[in-house]
């Protein structure tokens, strides 16, 4: 065995626990020098076999691997501790200010999250409040509609009694049949107000001459047989339709008091006037279509319309052209402009509107005597000026200047050649407050109650064929019954 190997064995033996060793040198039989190294085993009394020696060497190798793994684990932990120590050292070097800034950053983040939560909470509270308000409004509307239905049922019952009485008065020799409605009958309450039968009864009632209704001692005064008289009473508003969108907050709706073929007295027109480029005119062949919101035709005007002063008369739509003092006649059947005329000196586009605004400087109207235009001029200093128009050419036939300031009243209409004005467009308890008689040139004050049920009346017109006022009150299209006294 080489000397280096023997030295290595000696070192291993010494490291494994041996404390005594002997090294001998002697010649072998061939005369070569031979070194002998002897180590006493610390735990074995005799030399093990070769297999046992290999097992001991493997055990030593396993112990060495385990110790090496432990050493690496210890080195890794030391590295981790050194990193932590470096971080702590850097934190101390930054001082308390750095720590404070970190805390303040975290605090700011928490505050932002809190503000966001508070904002969301407020939004939810507002939405909940709006829902409660809408619910309350719907409940009020439901109660109001129920009350209207009850009122209409009572009025219908009373009207049926009047019709039966009038029939007996006209034909005293005719004995009432079982099918006739008796004065004390309650069958009228079975009518459905939205059916055609109800409309037919209303039409039948309108055919009764006003002079015969004067026999009722409880009713207000009525007009003469010629149909004209002085306005003395305006009834409760009856709602026919409610606009669906914001463009219907105010507008104008009408029927032709002198219908021309192919139109009838039932044909209805409607214009939403919210906006600056108004061209559409909705046409409804039947009242039921109008109530349900299904137009039979939509006209597109060749020129934009302004304000709520349009009317239909003799088959033509008369309206004011946008941002002008021009009145235009548009024939509905042929969809063509038949005449245009400037109203001399008339204010327009906000110079002399009604008190509610809406560019209502030029207001067209119809009564038993024909077609009118209501306006004002610089010369009249804002007072209402009336002119009667030729329906074909739009030429001014006659003009009157009143002493009623146009911007002090909410709206105006004509009945039998007399101009009437309404005091307020928003007060629930307004009045018809002035009358100007074109026949005498005399004006006077009035106090006839007029109800703005929805508190924003932007259009009021008279229909001489139906003897009703048509109005547009805050999205709602309504009618008013009226009564006239003897002249």
């Amino acid at each position: 065995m080489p000397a280096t190997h023997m030295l290595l064995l000696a070192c291993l033996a010494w490291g494994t626990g041996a404390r005594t060793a002997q090294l001998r040198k002697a010649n072998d039989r061939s005369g070569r020098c031979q070194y002998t190294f002897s180590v006493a085993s610390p735990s074995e009394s005799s030399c093990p076999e070769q297999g046992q020696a290999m097992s001991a060497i493997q055990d030593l190798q396993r112990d060495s691997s385990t110790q090496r793994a432990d050493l690496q684990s210890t080195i890794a932990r030391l590295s981790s501790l050194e990193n932590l120590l470096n971080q702590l050292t850097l934190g101390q070097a930054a001082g308390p200010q750095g720590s404070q800034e970190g805390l303040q950053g975290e605090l700011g983040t928490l505050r932002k999250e809190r503000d966001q939560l508070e904002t969301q909470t407020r939004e939810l509270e507002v939405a909940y409040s709006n829902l409660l308000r809408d619910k309350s409004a719907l409940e009020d509307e439901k109660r109001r509609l129920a009350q209207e239905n009850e009122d209409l049922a009572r009025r219908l019952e009373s009207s049926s009694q009047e019709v039966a009485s009038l029939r007996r008065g006209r034909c005293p020799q005719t004995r009432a049949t079982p099918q006739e409605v008796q004065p004390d009958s309650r069958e009228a309450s079975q009518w459905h107000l939205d059916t055609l039968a109800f409309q037919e009864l209303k039409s039948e009632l309108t055919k009764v001459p006003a002079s015969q209704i004067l026999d009722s001692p409880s009713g207000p005064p009525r007009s003469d047989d010629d149909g004209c008289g002085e306005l003395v009473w305006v009834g409760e508003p009856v709602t026919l339709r409610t606009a669906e969108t914001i463009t219907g907050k105010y507008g104008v709706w009408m029927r032709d008091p002198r219908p021309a073929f192919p139109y009838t007295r039932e044909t209805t027109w409607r214009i939403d006037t919210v906006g600056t480029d108004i061209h559409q005119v909705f046409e409804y062949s039947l009242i039921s279509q109008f109530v349900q919101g299904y137009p039979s035709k939509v006209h597109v005007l060749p020129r934009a319309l302004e304000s709520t002063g349009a009317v239909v008369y003799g088959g033509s739509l008369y309206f004011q052209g946008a941002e002008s003092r021009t009145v235009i006649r548009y024939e509905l059947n042929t969809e063509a402009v038949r005449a245009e005329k400037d109203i001399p000196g008339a204010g327009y586009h906000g110079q002399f509107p009604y008190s509610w605004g809406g560019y209502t400087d030029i207001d067209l109207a119809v009564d038993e005597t024909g077609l009118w235009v209501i306006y004002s001029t610089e010369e009249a200093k804002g007072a209402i000026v009336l002119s009667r128009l030729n329906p074909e050419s739009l030429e001014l036939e006659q003009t009157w200047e009143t002493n009623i300031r146009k911007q002090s009243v909410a709206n105006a209409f004509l009945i039998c050649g007399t101009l009437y004005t309404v005091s307020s467009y928003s007060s629930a308890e307004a009045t018809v407050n002035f009358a100007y008689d074109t026949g005498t040139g005399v004006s006077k004050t009035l106090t006839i109650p007029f109800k703005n049920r929805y508190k924003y009346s932007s259009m009021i017109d008279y229909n001489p064929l139906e003897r009703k006022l048509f109005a547009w009150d805050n999205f709602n299209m309504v009618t008013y019954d009226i009564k006239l006294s003897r002249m």
Side-chain angles (χ1 to χ4, degrees):
M1 177 183 293
T4 54
H5 288 185
M6 295 187 69
L7 288 172
L8 178 60
L9 286 174
C11 290
L12 288 173
W14 185 262
T16 57
R19 293 294 181 267
T20 60
Q22 294 178 359
L23 179 63
R24 293 182 297 175
K25 182 176 65 171
N27 292 329
D28 59 7
R29 294 178 179 178
S30 60
R32 296 181 63 184
C33 183
Q34 185 177 15
Y35 294 88
T36 303
F37 183 77
S38 300
V39 179
S41 173
S43 58
E44 294 174 343
S45 58
S46 62
C47 290
E49 298 293 334
Q50 182 177 1
Q52 292 178 344
M54 291 300 296
S55 176
I57 291 172
Q58 290 175 356
D59 289 340
L60 288 175
Q61 289 176 346
R62 282 194 296 271
D63 292 341
S64 177
S65 297
T66 301
Q67 291 174 0
R68 187 179 293 108
D70 292 341
L71 179 61
Q72 290 177 351
S73 176
T74 303
I75 291 172
R77 287 199 297 271
L78 286 174
S79 298
S80 177
L81 290 173
E82 286 177 354
N83 290 333
L84 290 174
L85 181 61
N86 290 333
Q87 291 177 3
L88 290 174
T89 303
L90 291 174
Q92 291 177 357
Q97 183 177 359
S99 301
Q100 186 175 3
E101 289 177 354
L103 291 174
Q104 288 178 350
E106 293 180 1
L107 182 60
T109 302
L110 292 174
R111 285 175 176 171
K112 288 181 181 178
E113 293 177 355
R114 183 197 62 186
D115 293 341
Q116 291 175 355
L117 290 174
E118 290 178 351
T119 301
Q120 292 175 357
T121 301
R122 286 193 296 269
E123 291 175 351
L124 289 173
E125 289 175 351
V126 170
Y128 180 69
S129 176
N130 291 337
L131 287 174
L132 290 178
R133 185 175 64 251
D134 292 344
K135 177 185 176 184
S136 177
L138 289 173
E139 290 176 348
D140 293 342
E141 183 69 10
K142 179 181 177 182
R143 287 192 293 269
R144 184 187 64 75
L145 291 174
Q147 183 62 40
E148 280 187 7
N149 286 338
E150 292 178 2
D151 293 343
L152 286 172
R154 286 195 295 269
R155 290 167 59 187
L156 180 59
E157 181 179 356
S158 175
S159 299
S160 63
Q161 295 174 8
E162 289 183 10
V163 171
S165 176
L166 289 170
R167 284 175 175 169
R168 289 194 304 276
R170 283 183 173 181
C171 306
Q173 72 279 9
T174 303
R175 182 169 300 175
T177 63
Q179 288 79 15
E180 285 188 297
V181 180
Q182 299 301 323
D184 58 349
S185 173
R186 292 297 179 267
E187 293 181 3
S189 62
Q190 299 175 3
W191 286 84
H192 296 289
L193 303 181
D194 55 349
T195 62
L196 291 176
F198 173 70
Q199 299 295 339
E200 291 173 359
L201 179 59
K202 292 287 287 185
S203 299
E204 184 178 3
L205 291 174
T206 58
K207 294 178 181 178
V208 177
S211 58
Q212 296 191 21
I213 304 179
L214 286 171
D215 296 335
S216 174
S218 60
R222 267 71 170 186
S223 61
D224 273 330
D225 291 339
D226 62 4
C228 266
E230 181 180 334
L231 180 67
V232 294
W233 176 82
V234 178
E236 295 280 338
V238 177
T239 305
L240 274 72
R241 174 82 190 280
T242 301
E244 302 86 359
T245 64
I246 188 63
T247 57
K249 180 173 177 59
Y250 48 84
V252 55
W253 72 284
M254 52 261 175
R255 298 191 188 116
D256 194 340
R258 198 180 69 179
F261 181 82
Y263 306 113
T264 69
R265 61 180 295 170
E266 196 172 357
T267 309
T268 306
W269 290 268
R270 162 192 168 179
I271 307 172
D272 296 335
T273 59
V274 174
T276 57
D277 190 26
I278 303 161
H279 287 270
Q280 290 185 332
V281 180
F282 299 94
E283 179 182 302
Y284 306 86
S285 298
L286 303 173
I287 294 176
S288 59
Q289 292 177 344
F290 171 68
V291 172
Q292 295 168 6
Y294 301 124
S296 54
K297 186 175 183 179
V298 179
H299 297 267
V300 179
L301 299 176
R303 181 169 173 180
L305 170 148
E306 186 166 272
S307 88
T308 59
V311 296
V312 173
Y313 185 64
S316 292
L317 172 71
Y318 297 85
F319 66 95
Q320 174 197 353
E323 299 188 38
S324 73
R325 58 172 60 94
T326 305
V327 172
I328 301 170
R329 176 193 168 203
Y330 173 83
E331 194 171 60
L332 291 160
N333 187 30
T334 61
E335 301 183 25
V337 173
R338 295 301 182 188
E340 294 186 36
K341 182 70 176 179
D342 283 354
I343 306 300
Y348 63 93
H349 204 63
Q351 287 182 279
F352 303 110
Y354 292 125
S355 61
W356 78 270
Y359 301 131
T360 50
D361 306 72
I362 295 176
D363 186 16
L364 292 151
V366 175
D367 72 348
E368 290 81 357
T369 65
L371 179 65
W372 298 81
V373 59
I374 306 167
Y375 59 102
S376 187
T377 63
E378 293 285 352
E379 291 76 10
K381 297 181 173 59
I384 290 179
V385 178
L386 279 173
S387 292
R388 187 158 50 209
L389 300 178
N390 183 298
E392 298 295 325
S393 64
L394 299 179
E395 293 291 334
L396 275 64
E397 296 180 340
Q398 195 171 356
T399 298
W400 294 260
E401 184 177 319
T402 74
N403 59 352
I404 304 169
R405 181 174 171 79
K406 191 167 186 291
Q407 289 180 279
S408 68
V409 297
N411 225 304
F413 54 90
L414 282 109
I415 300 177
C416 299
T418 297
L419 174 76
Y420 295 93
T421 63
V422 177
S423 63
S424 172
Y425 66 91
S426 58
S427 172
E429 304 294 333
T431 61
V432 178
N433 59 345
F434 289 109
Y436 178 85
D437 188 346
T438 59
T440 62
V442 175
S443 62
K444 65 178 180 179
T445 59
L446 301 173
T447 56
I448 301 172
F450 183 93
K451 294 186 180 298
N452 295 303
R453 171 167 290 164
Y454 304 101
K455 300 183 180 180
Y456 204 99
S457 292
S458 56
M459 159 254 170
I460 303 172
D461 279 334
Y462 172 62
N463 186 303
L465 180 61
E466 298 189 36
R467 288 297 177 88
K468 293 178 183 294
L469 295 179
F470 287 24
W472 194 300
D473 187 359
N474 201 13
F475 294 96
N476 294 278
M477 286 141 269
V478 301
T479 62
Y480 298 81
D481 289 330
I482 63 166
K483 300 296 184 239
L484 305 178
S485 70
R486 287 187 175 92
M487 298 294 288

